[in-house]
Amino acid sequence: MPIGTLDTALYRIELPVPLSDSTHGTMTHFELVTVRLRDSDGAEGVGYTYTTGVGGAAVHALIDQGLRPVLLGADADAIEALWTRMWWKLHYGGRGGSVSLAVSACDIALWDLKARRLGVPLWRLLGGFDPRVPCYAGGIDLEFTLDALLAQTDANLARGFRAIKMKVGRARLSEDVARVRAMRAHLGEDFPLMADANMRWSVDQSIAAARALRAFGLTWLEEPTIPDDVAGHARIVREGGVPIATGENLHTLHEFTQMIAAGGVTFPEPDVTNCGGITVFMKIGHLAEAFNLPVTSHGAHDLTVHLLAALPNRSFLEVHGFGLDRYIAQPLVVVDGCAVAPERPGHGVGFDWGALEGVRG
């Protein structure tokens, strides 16, 4: 069926509680960019991406002005062909960055449309492995007091989480060590605990931090340094003695290929909303499988649960609150440490468009 209409919109989503990490500082809101495609029969597919508060207008403009002409009138089922056309339409002005976010939102909408037309949940369309996906509560909590950090942890345990991620990257490594030590004591010896530095350190600092945190049995240390330093990541993996997750700031399949082939990552971590969409996320997942690596995820958990539910080498789904639950009809369900991929057709993320109108950017 040809694509008949494309609607895109930009929204400002206020956070219920300001969040902080070592790179972005304190975040009070994020930007949501949505895409709604309808075919000539009126069937609809929805895609979305987000920013941490800046740049959403650029992504919105790329979709509205650059990708609309590519998609309108095109065969909605020709997703690989449309992905390639979208990529090369915007390639010269981006090759990653905002371009990848724009392509991702449209690609997600195409897959949602296809699954809805077939009347199947996305995770089954993508191959189907297991709808119950291990997940963790991803805290954005660098500036929380220790008491607040532990209280947040207890609340997440009460919600059914059986794995926790905390932020590191404070001014002194000794502070990070003390907070991780306290979390490990609070959770117990075998409880899955991850730590995320948000690219805070140099390579040598990352190795020192990994060695200092090694005694606490971290499932992984995430984004210790900038994503551009592939050789540095390989050094951290070799010399730090802690598994490394990275990928939320890698925006192409080729960047993941370089990082994985160099031995710079233990847990590849794509974000479907910025890596090129579902089309690319699944290729990254299978690439990781070819290297015998477990794949994790970043962001958009209501959607990403479908993707990990279709991959045999999935590890943990990241779940963290960006305040979007207020605008979704049926948020993600977590039961005994697992997120459950829904059986609704498509990805099943049903936005409250009327409520979103009140926060249009």
Side-chain angles (χ1 to χ4, degrees):
M1 286 290 174
I3 298 169
T5 65
L6 183 156
D7 295 320
T8 182
L10 170 64
Y11 306 99
R12 178 187 172 101
I13 309 297
E14 298 290 338
L15 294 170
V17 177
L19 303 174
S20 57
D21 67 32
S22 66
T23 304
H24 302 99
T26 299
M27 293 168 280
T28 60
H29 69 281
F30 78 100
E31 295 174 308
L32 175 71
V33 181
T34 62
V35 175
R36 301 170 74 179
L37 299 176
R38 296 179 190 87
D39 65 21
S40 56
D41 275 354
E44 181 178 84
V46 175
Y48 60 100
T49 187
Y50 67 93
T51 79
T52 56
V54 179
V59 177
H60 179 263
L62 286 170
I63 295 169
D64 192 42
Q65 300 171 26
L67 297 182
R68 181 187 299 277
V70 174
L71 295 171
L72 289 181
D75 178 1
D77 277 340
I79 297 177
E80 283 282 356
L82 288 174
W83 192 97
T84 301
R85 289 174 58 194
M86 288 191 291
W87 182 250
W88 287 109
K89 181 72 171 180
L90 300 181
H91 182 273
Y92 190 79
R95 200 183 65 80
S98 297
V99 164
S100 287
L101 273 69
V103 172
S104 295
C106 294
D107 182 80
I108 292 165
L110 287 166
W111 278 102
D112 186 42
L113 175 60
K114 183 169 186 172
R116 287 202 209 184
R117 285 186 58 85
L118 292 172
V120 298
L122 181 60
W123 71 274
R124 291 189 184 277
L125 177 62
L126 294 173
F129 178 71
D130 185 347
R132 293 175 58 87
V133 180
C135 64
Y136 69 86
I140 306 178
D141 46 33
L142 185 67
E143 299 303 326
F144 281 22
T145 66
L146 182 56
D147 286 344
L149 178 64
L150 297 181
Q152 173 185 259
T153 298
D154 287 339
N156 284 325
L157 294 176
R159 292 169 57 201
F161 287 99
R162 299 295 178 263
I164 300 287
K165 187 174 80 178
M166 61 182 292
K167 295 296 186 184
V168 293
R170 291 170 73 92
R172 290 180 290 276
L173 179 57
S174 60
E175 296 179 61
D176 288 325
V177 172
R179 287 164 68 86
V180 173
R181 180 184 291 112
M183 279 286 279
R184 174 52 73 205
H186 190 72
L187 294 170
E189 184 175 353
D190 296 322
F191 192 96
L193 174 63
M194 301 83 162
D196 184 356
N198 289 105
M199 308 171 287
R200 169 73 171 180
W201 302 311
S202 69
V203 172
D204 287 333
Q205 289 172 324
S206 299
I207 293 169
R211 290 173 175 174
L213 297 172
R214 184 165 48 191
F216 305 114
L218 294 178
T219 301
W220 68 62
L221 176 61
E222 186 171 326
E223 282 203 310
T225 196
I226 58 173
D228 316 85
D229 190 350
V230 175
H233 271 87
R235 273 194 63 206
I236 297 166
V237 171
R238 288 196 310 269
E239 300 175 29
V242 175
I244 298 298
T246 194
E248 71 182 75
N249 284 289
L250 300 178
H251 287 170
T252 71
L253 173 64
H254 310 294
E255 290 173 337
F256 276 93
T257 301
Q258 292 162 8
M259 186 68 75
I260 290 171
V265 59
T266 319
F267 288 84
E269 183 195 9
D271 184 324
V272 67
T273 71
N274 72 25
C275 73
I278 293 167
T279 297
V280 176
F281 187 105
M282 296 305 292
K283 291 177 181 179
I284 294 165
H286 294 311
L287 173 68
E289 183 183 13
F291 278 81
N292 199 28
L293 295 176
V295 66
T296 182
S297 67
H298 177 265
H301 52 251
D302 298 279
L303 163 63
T304 311
V305 65
H306 285 273
L307 313 187
L308 293 188
L311 289 169
N313 59 319
R314 82 304 181 58
S315 58
F316 288 93
L317 171 77
E318 178 181 46
V319 179
H320 61 57
F322 269 152
L324 199 57
D325 283 1
R326 293 168 289 168
Y327 303 99
I328 294 177
Q330 295 172 281
L332 183 72
V333 174
V334 176
V335 179
D336 293 331
C338 288
V340 182
E343 290 291 339
R344 300 185 294 276
H347 53 54
V349 181
F351 286 111
D352 184 339
W353 299 108
L356 282 172
E357 277 302 307
V359 294
R360 187 182 279 267

